[in-house]
């Protein structure tokens, strides 16, 4: 499954991960005056996903642990893909995860003036030039890992000409694509990123913050390290694919600054999850083409999707801690994410009874027209949450799966002649089964041991199974959305030649049922968490209206399903 060791210990007992080791070594050496200042630098071109959550927990977690600070900085250097909608959602998600950034949020665009001045400095120092070639020509001339690139015919322009041209670029004197500013480094460098990388390109798309002030925009590599520097960042943490960019990150700082303080780029392995796509481009395509119902569709791996599904910030933080921080790429079993939310909801979710696939059950010796109120425990993990009263009567609904006419050995639920306990109530025995013409069971008829409920003469009589139920006359119909994996394959990005990754979507990833719920489940508010006993964890969807409650299944109760499968 993965080559990292999932860490099941708590934050306090686990050993340091490699980035903590680096930070502690820097603190011992007094580097950067003993400051720890990290940043989370999303590009506002999509909603955040669980991979970003890992990066957020890492960056903010380090600052918390070492008494430091974390900036939120939008990497808004590409006006064509970015939007305020994304900025707002990102801020909301970071806050929801439980983190506060230092001061106001920052933007790479805050630094456009300084970045521009530094670009002029590079030109003046003979380290940058304006290239009139197209992006395609430039890309063709890059060479390969084994062959050197070709120098641009414009590479040896003089400083004055370059300055004039670059200012003309800035002032709107050229069409998009007419020219770019490039660093002048080494077209034969073994690191391809040193082969005269592009620093600025022209775009007339208005920017979501700077409007039309600029028509030249810095490239990520040129903007990122300098933004880190301007913010006083000490540890600039990013994913592994940036390892090869690091020498260039350092090169720019070497050319532009001469202070002792230096930000340091450190790379870690991005989070990959089984059965999940994490690329923003792919997630955007799912949303735009209505394969899902928006960014916050509970099947999405986005933070807002997981939130709507019923995941808690605590469960995501615990997950991030558990998977640890590795230096090598790995794939984490999505089951570990589900484990984390189960563990958290087990502590906080109020218990309730609901039947997802109901069949009628009649207690033949129970008085007609009688309603009794049975005491149910709200949360066995937290006695402070107390108890509630649940109506009980002659006709009930139970789960169709909890009955088998011809059960295998070790089936401890209901079958003809067999006994079970009704949760919080009586012991019953199945006496008879009623079927319709098609052979489908329409009613299960049972006798009830009237002395077997709490306090009764036979209350302590042992039977092997306990099943849940709701009183038919009192039950409420509620909508329940049952989610399954969005993709069928364990690695949805691994698509055979000639096929589209979207063919891997699971057509059965959403199933909607009408469940029978205990009456207290009609008095709920959106986002509340529940454990439907023996079934799973659910939360109240914001689609809920008065009289029309909608639940999402956050996750099934693993042990229940394991038991069902094993029987
Ligand atoms: P893009 O392809 O648009 O750059 P991205 O996923 O890298 O997508 P960013 O907005 O650049 O998105 O990411 C913000 C931060 O989150 C970066 O520091 C990035 O390294 C980190 N990050 C992104 N994806 C993951 C992931 N799967 N696991 C851990 N960190 C991630
Ligand atoms: Mg990125």
């Amino acid at each position: 499954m993965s080559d990292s060791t999932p860490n099941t210990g708590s934050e306090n007992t686990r050993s340091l991960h490699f980035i903590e080791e680096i930070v502690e070594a820097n603190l011992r050496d007094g580097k950067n005056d003993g400051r720890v200042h990290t940043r989370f630098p999303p590009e506002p071109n999509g909603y955040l996903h669980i991979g970003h959550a890992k990066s957020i927990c890492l960056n903010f977690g380090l600052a918390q642990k070492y008494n430091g600070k974390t900036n939120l900085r939008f990497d808004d250097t590409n006006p064509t893909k970015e939007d305020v909608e994304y900025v707002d959602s990102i801020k909301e998600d970071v806050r929801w995860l439980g983190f506060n950034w230092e001061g106001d949020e920052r933007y790479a665009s805050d630094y456009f003036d300084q970045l521009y001045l530094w670009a002029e400095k590079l030109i003046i120092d003979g380290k940058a030039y304006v290239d009139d070639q197209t992006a395609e020509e430039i890309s063709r001339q890059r060479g390969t890992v084994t062959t050197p690139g070709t120098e641009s015919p414009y590479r040896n322009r003089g400083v004055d000409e370059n300055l004039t041209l670059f200012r003309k670029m800035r002032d709107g004197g050229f069409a998009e694509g007419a020219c770019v500013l490039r660093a002048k480094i080494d077209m034969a460098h073994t690191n391809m990123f040193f082969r005269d990388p592009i620093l600025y390109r022209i775009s007339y798309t208005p920017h979501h913050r700077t409007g039309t002030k600029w028509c030249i925009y810095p490239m990520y590599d040129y903007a990122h390290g300098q933004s880190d520097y301007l913010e006083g960042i000490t540890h600039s943490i990013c994913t592994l694919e940036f390892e090869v960019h690091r020498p260039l990150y350092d090169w720019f700082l070497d050319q532009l600054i001469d202070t002792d303080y230096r930000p340091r780029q450190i790379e870690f392995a991005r989070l990959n999850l089984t059965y999940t796509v994490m690329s923003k481009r792919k997630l955007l395509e799912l949303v735009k083409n209505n394969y899902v119902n928006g960014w916050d569709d509970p099947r999405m791996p986005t933070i807002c999707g997981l939130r709507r599904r019923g995941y808690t910030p605590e469960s995501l933080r615990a997950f991030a801690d558990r998977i640890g921080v590795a230096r090598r790429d790995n794939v984490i079993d999505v089951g570990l994410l589900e484990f984390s939310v189960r563990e958290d909801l087990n502590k906080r979710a109020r218990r309730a009874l609901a039947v997802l696939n109901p069949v009628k059950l009649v207690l033949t010796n129970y008085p007609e027209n009688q309603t009794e109120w049975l005491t149910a425990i709200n949360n066995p993990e937290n006695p402070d949450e107390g108890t509630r009263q649940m109506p009980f009567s002659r006709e009930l609904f139970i789960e169709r799966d909890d009955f088998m006419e011809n059960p295998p050995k070790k089936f401890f639920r209901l079958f003809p002649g067999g006994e079970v306990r009704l949760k919080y109530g009586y012991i019953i025995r199945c006496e008879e089964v009623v079927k319709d013409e098609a052979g489908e069971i329409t009613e299960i008829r049972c006798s009830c041991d009237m002395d077997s409920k709490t306090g009764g003469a036979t209350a302590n009589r042992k039977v092997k199974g306990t099943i849940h139920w709701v009183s038919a006359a009192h039950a409420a119909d509620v909508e329940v959305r049952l989610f399954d994996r969005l993709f069928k394959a364990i690695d949805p990005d691994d698509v055979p030649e000639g096929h589209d990754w979207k063919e891997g979507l699971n057509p059965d990833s959403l199933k909607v049922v009408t469940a029978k719920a205990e009456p207290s489940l009609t008095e709920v508010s959106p986002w509340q968490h529940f454990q439907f006993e023996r079934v799973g964890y659910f939360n109240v969807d914001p689609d809920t209206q008065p009289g029309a409650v909608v639940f999402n299944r956050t996750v099934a109760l693993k042990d229940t399903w394991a038991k069902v499968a094993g029987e």
Side-chain angles (χ1 to χ4, degrees):
M1 165 191 106
S2 87
D3 68 357
S4 75
T5 316
N7 162 35
T8 44
S10 77
E11 166 71 22
N12 302 327
T13 57
R14 67 166 169 73
S15 56
L16 298 182
H17 60 63
F18 81 96
I19 300 182
E20 289 168 334
E21 274 170 5
I22 292 172
V23 170
E24 293 201 0
N26 292 160
L27 289 174
R28 276 196 302 276
D29 298 345
K31 201 181 165 204
N32 297 327
D33 304 324
R35 291 186 303 112
V36 174
H37 201 152
T38 57
R39 87 285 172 266
F40 174 64
E43 185 178 354
N45 62 351
Y47 281 61
L48 298 181
H49 54 58
I50 177 75
H52 294 116
K54 171 175 176 173
S55 172
I56 292 167
C57 291
L58 174 59
N59 279 294
F60 283 89
L62 281 171
Q64 283 176 348
K65 182 162 181 178
Y66 297 106
N67 205 10
K69 298 170 177 168
T70 305
N71 289 0
L72 172 64
R73 182 201 315 142
F74 290 98
D75 164 28
D76 57 349
T77 50
N78 183 357
T80 59
K81 288 194 203 150
E82 297 161 5
D83 208 303
V84 246
E85 175 196 350
Y86 300 134
V87 169
D88 293 343
S89 75
I90 289 169
K91 285 160 65 180
E92 184 184 357
D93 289 348
V94 174
R95 283 205 196 93
W96 178 78
L97 274 174
F99 299 109
N100 292 307
W101 50 90
E102 175 66 17
D104 289 335
E105 75 267 21
R106 326 286 169 106
Y107 296 85
S109 57
D110 294 340
Y111 314 125
F112 281 175
D113 286 307
Q114 179 62 54
L115 291 168
Y116 175 83
L117 290 176
W118 272 332
E120 286 208 350
K121 173 176 161 53
L122 288 176
I123 293 173
I124 290 163
D125 294 346
K127 290 168 185 162
Y129 61 98
V130 173
D131 193 333
D132 298 353
Q133 300 180 104
T134 63
E136 293 72 44
E137 281 167 323
I138 291 171
S139 157
R140 267 202 302 281
Q141 291 166 358
R142 271 185 97 208
T144 65
V145 191
T146 48
T147 56
T150 310
E151 292 191 355
S152 162
Y154 303 97
R155 193 171 199 265
N156 295 315
R157 278 177 159 152
V159 169
D160 290 340
E161 187 187 359
N162 277 318
L163 263 187
T164 307
L165 291 171
F166 186 48
R167 288 174 184 168
K168 193 171 166 190
M169 276 173 70
R170 175 198 61 190
D171 295 337
F174 294 108
E176 273 184 22
C179 46
V180 294
L181 184 73
R182 295 177 75 180
K184 186 171 178 178
I185 312 181
D186 180 357
M187 287 305 291
H189 205 287
T190 48
N191 183 329
M192 301 283 285
F193 291 97
F194 276 73
R195 295 185 184 176
D196 292 9
I198 296 177
L199 306 183
Y200 272 89
R201 67 218 185 283
I202 299 170
S203 170
Y204 287 98
T205 306
H207 185 276
H208 71 106
R209 292 190 75 243
T210 57
T212 54
K213 175 177 175 193
W214 296 92
C215 63
I216 54 170
Y217 291 92
M219 303 298 287
Y220 172 89
D221 275 332
Y222 176 66
H224 202 82
Q226 279 70 266
S227 300
D228 283 342
Y229 177 79
L230 290 169
E231 292 180 7
I233 300 304
T234 55
H235 300 86
S236 179
I237 299 164
C238 58
T239 42
L240 278 180
E241 67 273 23
F242 288 98
E243 189 171 5
V244 280
H245 298 239
R246 188 184 345 125
L248 186 58
Y249 178 103
D250 291 333
W251 186 88
F252 285 125
L253 291 170
D254 288 343
Q255 311 312 308
L256 298 171
I257 61 156
D258 55 7
T259 53
D260 285 339
Y261 151 65
R262 266 310 170 84
R264 168 175 180 179
Q265 180 181 304
I266 303 167
E267 309 84 20
F268 74 107
R270 66 171 46 239
L271 169 65
N272 300 300
L273 272 184
T274 55
Y275 300 98
T276 310
V277 300
M278 213 98 85
S279 130
K280 278 198 271 189
R281 181 181 58 75
K282 288 183 179 170
L283 297 177
L284 180 66
E285 196 175 334
L286 292 177
V287 172
K288 286 261 140 71
N289 297 321
N290 301 313
Y291 290 99
V292 294
N293 302 314
W295 286 100
D296 68 345
D297 186 304
R299 293 166 293 179
M300 291 280 275
T302 49
I303 294 178
C304 57
L306 291 164
R307 169 163 74 231
R308 186 156 181 186
R309 173 105 173 220
Y311 277 73
T312 56
E314 291 82 356
S315 66
L316 296 185
R317 293 201 302 262
F319 172 71
D321 194 42
R322 200 168 264 133
I323 57 180
V325 178
R327 223 191 290 239
R328 253 204 301 161
D329 268 319
N330 58 63
V331 181
I332 302 291
D333 191 327
V334 70
L336 200 58
L337 181 62
E338 294 171 351
F339 172 82
S340 298
V341 75
R342 254 187 224 112
E343 189 186 51
D344 184 47
L345 290 179
N346 179 45
K347 286 179 279 174
R348 69 173 74 235
R350 218 204 74 184
R351 272 49 170 179
L353 300 193
V355 176
L356 265 46
N357 183 15
V359 63
K360 171 101 47 100
L361 185 146
V362 179
L363 300 173
T364 50
N365 60 328
Y366 193 90
E368 283 186 48
N369 305 321
Q370 173 172 308
T371 300
E372 248 186 292
W373 293 84
L374 301 177
T375 302
I377 295 166
N378 284 335
N379 185 351
E381 301 290 319
N382 181 5
D384 292 347
E385 289 185 43
T387 59
R388 68 186 182 285
Q389 298 299 106
M390 276 199 323
F392 183 86
S393 62
R394 187 171 193 266
E395 298 199 352
L396 311 171
F397 289 114
I398 65 160
E399 214 69 68
R400 215 167 254 284
D401 293 352
D402 279 338
F403 177 82
M404 276 185 99
E405 214 174 355
N406 300 300
K409 266 206 179 107
K410 295 199 173 163
F411 181 82
F412 296 130
R413 292 169 282 162
L414 200 58
F415 52 88
E419 283 189 317
V420 289
R421 181 176 289 280
L422 295 170
K423 185 85 187 174
Y424 304 118
Y426 298 95
I427 294 172
I428 60 168
R429 173 194 297 274
C430 172
E431 309 289 357
E432 192 189 346
V433 179
V434 182
K435 296 181 182 174
D436 64 14
E437 284 158 14
E440 174 97 344
I441 296 170
T442 53
E443 195 175 296
I444 299 163
R445 298 177 73 79
C446 298
S447 57
C448 181
D449 175 350
M450 296 298 289
D451 293 322
S452 62
K453 75 166 177 174
T454 310
T458 56
N460 294 327
R461 196 154 71 75
K462 290 274 174 281
V463 290
K464 286 240 164 93
T466 299
I467 64 172
H468 61 281
W469 52 273
V470 291
S471 163
H474 304 87
D477 283 349
V478 296
E479 176 178 329
V480 178
R481 299 176 183 167
L482 301 170
F483 305 106
D484 199 351
R485 291 179 174 133
L486 191 51
F487 289 91
K488 291 174 289 191
I490 191 158
D491 179 4
D493 290 315
D494 181 21
V495 184
E497 275 280 318
H499 288 267
D500 187 278
W501 61 276
K502 295 188 292 304
E503 291 169 30
L505 283 164
N506 174 8
D508 302 317
S509 60
L510 171 61
K511 199 173 138 202
V512 180
V513 300
T514 302
K516 298 288 184 186
E518 67 167 85
S520 73
L521 286 177
T522 56
E523 284 149 40
V524 294
S525 33
W527 307 106
Q528 258 184 292
H529 302 281
F530 289 93
Q531 185 199 89
F532 293 175
E533 294 202 47
R534 300 185 62 244
V535 179
Y537 292 99
F538 293 76
N539 80 330
V540 183
D541 190 86
D543 279 351
T544 293
Q545 299 289 326
V549 182
V550 181
F551 287 99
N552 298 315
R553 181 168 68 196
T554 309
V555 66
L557 282 185
K558 193 184 185 177
D559 42 6
T560 303
W561 294 117
K563 205 169 87 199
V564 170
E567 271 169 6

Short mmCIF file of all heavy atoms in Angstrom, two decimals, residues 43-44 75-83 112 176 201-211 214-218:
data_model
loop_
_atom_site.label_atom_id
_atom_site.label_comp_id
_atom_site.label_asym_id
_atom_site.label_seq_id
_atom_site.Cartn_x
_atom_site.Cartn_y
_atom_site.Cartn_z
N GLU A 43 -2.54 28.33 -5.28
CA GLU A 43 -2.92 29.12 -6.43
C GLU A 43 -4.45 29.16 -6.43
O GLU A 43 -5.09 28.11 -6.36
CB GLU A 43 -2.40 28.45 -7.72
CG GLU A 43 -2.68 29.31 -8.92
CD GLU A 43 -2.15 28.73 -10.23
OE1 GLU A 43 -1.45 27.70 -10.20
OE2 GLU A 43 -2.47 29.32 -11.27
N PRO A 44 -5.06 30.35 -6.51
CA PRO A 44 -6.54 30.39 -6.44
C PRO A 44 -7.19 29.99 -7.76
O PRO A 44 -7.89 30.77 -8.39
CB PRO A 44 -6.83 31.85 -6.06
CG PRO A 44 -5.65 32.61 -6.56
CD PRO A 44 -4.47 31.70 -6.52
N ASP A 75 -0.85 32.46 -4.58
CA ASP A 75 0.10 32.52 -5.69
C ASP A 75 -0.70 32.92 -6.94
O ASP A 75 -1.11 32.08 -7.73
CB ASP A 75 0.75 31.13 -5.82
CG ASP A 75 1.45 30.94 -7.14
OD1 ASP A 75 1.90 31.95 -7.72
OD2 ASP A 75 1.53 29.79 -7.61
N ASP A 76 -0.94 34.23 -7.03
CA ASP A 76 -1.87 34.69 -8.08
C ASP A 76 -1.12 35.33 -9.25
O ASP A 76 -1.32 36.49 -9.58
CB ASP A 76 -2.90 35.66 -7.50
CG ASP A 76 -2.26 36.87 -6.82
OD1 ASP A 76 -1.03 36.86 -6.61
OD2 ASP A 76 -3.00 37.83 -6.51
N THR A 77 -0.25 34.54 -9.85
CA THR A 77 0.58 35.08 -10.94
C THR A 77 0.03 34.77 -12.32
O THR A 77 0.62 35.14 -13.32
CB THR A 77 2.01 34.51 -10.84
OG1 THR A 77 1.93 33.08 -10.73
CG2 THR A 77 2.74 35.07 -9.64
N ASN A 78 -1.10 34.06 -12.37
CA ASN A 78 -1.66 33.72 -13.68
C ASN A 78 -3.12 34.16 -13.77
O ASN A 78 -4.03 33.44 -13.37
CB ASN A 78 -1.56 32.20 -13.90
CG ASN A 78 -2.07 31.80 -15.27
OD1 ASN A 78 -2.56 32.64 -16.04
ND2 ASN A 78 -1.97 30.51 -15.58
N PRO A 79 -3.37 35.38 -14.30
CA PRO A 79 -4.73 35.94 -14.26
C PRO A 79 -5.75 35.13 -15.05
O PRO A 79 -6.95 35.24 -14.78
CB PRO A 79 -4.55 37.33 -14.87
CG PRO A 79 -3.32 37.26 -15.70
CD PRO A 79 -2.42 36.27 -14.99
N THR A 80 -5.30 34.30 -15.97
CA THR A 80 -6.29 33.62 -16.83
C THR A 80 -7.04 32.50 -16.11
O THR A 80 -8.11 32.10 -16.54
CB THR A 80 -5.64 33.02 -18.09
OG1 THR A 80 -4.63 32.10 -17.68
CG2 THR A 80 -5.03 34.11 -18.95
N LYS A 81 -6.49 31.96 -15.01
CA LYS A 81 -7.14 30.82 -14.37
C LYS A 81 -7.68 31.12 -12.99
O LYS A 81 -8.24 30.26 -12.33
CB LYS A 81 -6.12 29.67 -14.22
CG LYS A 81 -5.74 29.00 -15.51
CD LYS A 81 -5.03 27.69 -15.16
CE LYS A 81 -4.14 27.22 -16.28
NZ LYS A 81 -2.99 26.48 -15.76
N GLU A 82 -7.48 32.36 -12.53
CA GLU A 82 -7.73 32.61 -11.12
C GLU A 82 -8.99 33.43 -10.88
O GLU A 82 -9.43 34.16 -11.74
CB GLU A 82 -6.49 33.29 -10.51
CG GLU A 82 -5.30 32.34 -10.61
CD GLU A 82 -3.95 33.02 -10.49
OE1 GLU A 82 -3.92 34.24 -10.24
OE2 GLU A 82 -2.95 32.32 -10.66
N ASP A 83 -9.53 33.27 -9.70
CA ASP A 83 -10.84 33.83 -9.43
C ASP A 83 -11.02 34.10 -7.94
O ASP A 83 -10.50 33.37 -7.11
CB ASP A 83 -11.88 32.78 -9.85
CG ASP A 83 -13.17 33.44 -10.26
OD1 ASP A 83 -13.72 34.18 -9.43
OD2 ASP A 83 -13.61 33.22 -11.40
N PHE A 112 4.27 42.62 -6.96
CA PHE A 112 4.55 42.82 -8.39
C PHE A 112 5.52 43.99 -8.62
O PHE A 112 6.39 43.92 -9.48
CB PHE A 112 3.26 43.04 -9.19
CG PHE A 112 2.50 41.77 -9.50
CD1 PHE A 112 1.24 41.83 -10.12
CD2 PHE A 112 3.01 40.51 -9.20
CE1 PHE A 112 0.53 40.66 -10.42
CE2 PHE A 112 2.30 39.34 -9.49
CZ PHE A 112 1.07 39.43 -10.10
N GLU A 176 0.15 39.99 -26.75
CA GLU A 176 0.40 38.76 -25.98
C GLU A 176 1.25 37.81 -26.82
O GLU A 176 0.98 37.62 -28.00
CB GLU A 176 -0.94 38.06 -25.65
CG GLU A 176 -1.55 38.57 -24.38
CD GLU A 176 -2.82 37.83 -23.97
OE1 GLU A 176 -3.02 36.70 -24.42
OE2 GLU A 176 -3.61 38.43 -23.21
N ARG A 201 5.88 37.00 -18.73
CA ARG A 201 5.15 36.86 -19.99
C ARG A 201 4.06 37.93 -20.04
O ARG A 201 3.68 38.49 -19.00
CB ARG A 201 4.55 35.48 -20.13
CG ARG A 201 3.45 35.20 -19.13
CD ARG A 201 3.55 33.76 -18.66
NE ARG A 201 2.45 33.40 -17.77
CZ ARG A 201 2.38 33.76 -16.48
NH1 ARG A 201 3.28 34.56 -15.95
NH2 ARG A 201 1.38 33.35 -15.74
N ILE A 202 3.54 38.17 -21.23
CA ILE A 202 2.52 39.20 -21.41
C ILE A 202 1.13 38.57 -21.34
O ILE A 202 0.91 37.51 -21.93
CB ILE A 202 2.69 39.89 -22.78
CG1 ILE A 202 4.07 40.56 -22.87
CG2 ILE A 202 1.57 40.92 -23.02
CD1 ILE A 202 4.44 41.05 -24.26
N SER A 203 0.22 39.20 -20.60
CA SER A 203 -1.18 38.76 -20.62
C SER A 203 -2.07 39.99 -20.42
O SER A 203 -1.83 40.78 -19.50
CB SER A 203 -1.47 37.73 -19.54
OG SER A 203 -2.86 37.51 -19.45
N TYR A 204 -3.07 40.10 -21.28
CA TYR A 204 -4.00 41.24 -21.15
C TYR A 204 -5.28 40.85 -20.41
O TYR A 204 -6.21 41.64 -20.31
CB TYR A 204 -4.30 41.85 -22.53
CG TYR A 204 -3.09 42.63 -23.05
CD1 TYR A 204 -2.22 42.04 -23.94
CD2 TYR A 204 -2.84 43.92 -22.58
CE1 TYR A 204 -1.09 42.73 -24.39
CE2 TYR A 204 -1.72 44.62 -23.02
CZ TYR A 204 -0.85 44.02 -23.91
OH TYR A 204 0.25 44.70 -24.33
N THR A 205 -5.33 39.63 -19.90
CA THR A 205 -6.48 39.25 -19.08
C THR A 205 -6.44 40.06 -17.78
O THR A 205 -5.41 40.06 -17.11
CB THR A 205 -6.42 37.75 -18.73
OG1 THR A 205 -6.28 37.02 -19.93
CG2 THR A 205 -7.67 37.30 -17.98
N PRO A 206 -7.54 40.74 -17.43
CA PRO A 206 -7.51 41.50 -16.17
C PRO A 206 -7.26 40.56 -14.98
O PRO A 206 -7.73 39.41 -14.98
CB PRO A 206 -8.90 42.13 -16.09
CG PRO A 206 -9.44 42.08 -17.48
CD PRO A 206 -8.82 40.88 -18.12
N HIS A 207 -6.54 41.05 -14.03
CA HIS A 207 -6.18 40.25 -12.86
C HIS A 207 -7.22 40.47 -11.76
O HIS A 207 -7.71 41.59 -11.59
CB HIS A 207 -4.79 40.70 -12.39
CG HIS A 207 -4.24 39.89 -11.27
ND1 HIS A 207 -4.55 40.14 -9.95
CD2 HIS A 207 -3.39 38.84 -11.28
CE1 HIS A 207 -3.90 39.26 -9.19
NE2 HIS A 207 -3.18 38.46 -9.96
N HIS A 208 -7.54 39.42 -11.00
CA HIS A 208 -8.63 39.55 -10.02
C HIS A 208 -8.31 40.54 -8.91
O HIS A 208 -9.21 40.98 -8.19
CB HIS A 208 -9.02 38.19 -9.43
CG HIS A 208 -8.01 37.60 -8.50
ND1 HIS A 208 -8.17 37.57 -7.14
CD2 HIS A 208 -6.81 37.05 -8.74
CE1 HIS A 208 -7.12 37.01 -6.58
NE2 HIS A 208 -6.27 36.68 -7.52
N ARG A 209 -7.06 40.95 -8.77
CA ARG A 209 -6.74 41.98 -7.76
C ARG A 209 -6.13 43.24 -8.36
O ARG A 209 -6.45 44.33 -7.93
CB ARG A 209 -5.80 41.42 -6.70
CG ARG A 209 -6.51 40.36 -5.86
CD ARG A 209 -5.68 39.97 -4.67
NE ARG A 209 -5.69 41.00 -3.64
CZ ARG A 209 -4.61 41.66 -3.23
NH1 ARG A 209 -3.45 41.43 -3.79
NH2 ARG A 209 -4.71 42.56 -2.28
N THR A 210 -5.23 43.08 -9.32
CA THR A 210 -4.54 44.28 -9.82
C THR A 210 -5.22 44.83 -11.06
O THR A 210 -4.75 45.82 -11.64
CB THR A 210 -3.06 43.97 -10.12
OG1 THR A 210 -3.00 42.89 -11.07
CG2 THR A 210 -2.31 43.57 -8.86
N GLY A 211 -6.32 44.20 -11.47
CA GLY A 211 -7.08 44.72 -12.61
C GLY A 211 -6.23 44.78 -13.87
O GLY A 211 -5.66 43.78 -14.27
N TRP A 214 -1.24 45.75 -14.58
CA TRP A 214 -0.12 45.03 -15.19
C TRP A 214 -0.58 44.27 -16.42
O TRP A 214 -1.70 43.75 -16.45
CB TRP A 214 0.48 44.03 -14.20
CG TRP A 214 1.10 44.67 -13.01
CD1 TRP A 214 0.51 44.93 -11.81
CD2 TRP A 214 2.44 45.16 -12.92
NE1 TRP A 214 1.39 45.55 -10.97
CE2 TRP A 214 2.60 45.70 -11.62
CE3 TRP A 214 3.54 45.20 -13.80
CZ2 TRP A 214 3.78 46.27 -11.18
CZ3 TRP A 214 4.73 45.76 -13.35
CH2 TRP A 214 4.85 46.30 -12.06
N CYS A 215 0.31 44.21 -17.40
CA CYS A 215 0.05 43.28 -18.51
C CYS A 215 1.23 42.34 -18.68
O CYS A 215 1.30 41.59 -19.63
CB CYS A 215 -0.27 44.03 -19.80
SG CYS A 215 1.11 45.02 -20.38
N ILE A 216 2.17 42.39 -17.71
CA ILE A 216 3.21 41.37 -17.69
C ILE A 216 3.13 40.68 -16.33
O ILE A 216 2.87 41.33 -15.31
CB ILE A 216 4.63 41.95 -17.90
CG1 ILE A 216 4.91 43.07 -16.89
CG2 ILE A 216 4.81 42.43 -19.34
CD1 ILE A 216 6.38 43.52 -16.90
N TYR A 217 3.29 39.38 -16.33
CA TYR A 217 3.14 38.60 -15.10
C TYR A 217 4.36 37.71 -14.88
O TYR A 217 4.83 37.06 -15.81
CB TYR A 217 1.86 37.77 -15.15
CG TYR A 217 0.64 38.66 -15.07
CD1 TYR A 217 0.03 39.14 -16.23
CD2 TYR A 217 0.15 39.08 -13.84
CE1 TYR A 217 -1.06 40.00 -16.15
CE2 TYR A 217 -0.94 39.95 -13.76
CZ TYR A 217 -1.54 40.40 -14.91
OH TYR A 217 -2.59 41.26 -14.82
N PRO A 218 4.86 37.68 -13.62
CA PRO A 218 6.03 36.85 -13.32
C PRO A 218 5.67 35.37 -13.32
O PRO A 218 4.55 35.00 -12.98
CB PRO A 218 6.43 37.31 -11.92
CG PRO A 218 5.16 37.82 -11.31
CD PRO A 218 4.35 38.39 -12.44
#
